[in-house]
Amino acid sequence: MKVSLDDLMERPMGEAMWRGWRSRCPRCGQGRMFGRYLKVNDACPSCGLELAGHRADDAPPYFTILIVGHIIVPLMLLLEQHVHPAEWVHMALWLPLTLLLCLWLLPHIKGTLIGLQWSRRMHGFGSEPH
C-alpha cells in the first residue's frame, strides 16, 4: 500500500468548510469550486484537487429548506400576529424573499458540505476509493 503526502496531511474541518462556503477549493482556498451555479468543477484550477468525487446529492437542498423554513416561518407568523396584513402583502413579501434566500444559500451549503467531505476524507477524497 503506497502512502502519499496528501494521506498524511492534516485537513482542518473548519477551514475546509469555510473555504467551501466561499465556493473555493477546500484544499488551497484559491481555485473556484463551481464552474456554473451548482456545477462543481472536475478539478481545482489552482491546485488540481479532484472535486468530481464529491457526493453532496440531496443534502444541500435539504439543509437549505430547513434553514430557510426556520427563518421565514417565524417572521411570517410575527408579521401576521402584529400587523395582520392582507394576503397579497404576504405573497408579495414572503415568496420572493424565500426564493432569493434559497438561491443564495444553496451553493454556499453545497460548498460547505463538499469541504466537510474533503476534510473527513469521505466519498472519493481519501486515499482509497469508496
Side-chain angles (χ1 to χ4, degrees), residues 27-130:
R27 180 165 65 187
C28 71
Q30 299 300 313
R32 299 212 37 89
M33 185 180 295
F34 299 107
R36 287 182 273 150
Y37 177 62
L38 289 175
K39 173 74 172 136
V40 178
N41 289 327
D42 291 334
C44 172
S46 182
C47 72
L49 173 68
E50 288 190 36
L51 298 168
H54 80 85
R55 298 289 300 169
D57 298 331
D58 293 336
Y62 173 80
F63 287 121
T64 300
I65 291 168
L66 184 72
I67 292 167
V68 171
H70 278 82
I71 293 170
I72 296 295
V73 171
L75 292 174
M76 189 183 324
L77 291 173
L78 280 171
L79 182 68
E80 179 61 32
Q81 286 178 340
H82 295 291
V83 181
H84 306 292
E87 288 181 19
W88 70 266
V89 174
H90 281 293
M91 298 295 273
L93 180 63
W94 303 117
L95 286 176
L97 187 58
T98 301
L99 179 64
L100 291 173
L101 196 53
C102 284
L103 291 174
W104 181 77
L105 270 177
L106 190 56
H108 293 290
I109 292 174
K110 184 172 183 173
T112 301
L113 287 170
I114 293 171
L116 173 68
Q117 290 176 4
W118 177 80
S119 72
R120 301 295 105 196
R121 294 177 164 82
M122 298 167 58
H123 306 299
F125 287 122
S127 60
E128 297 175 9
H130 293 94

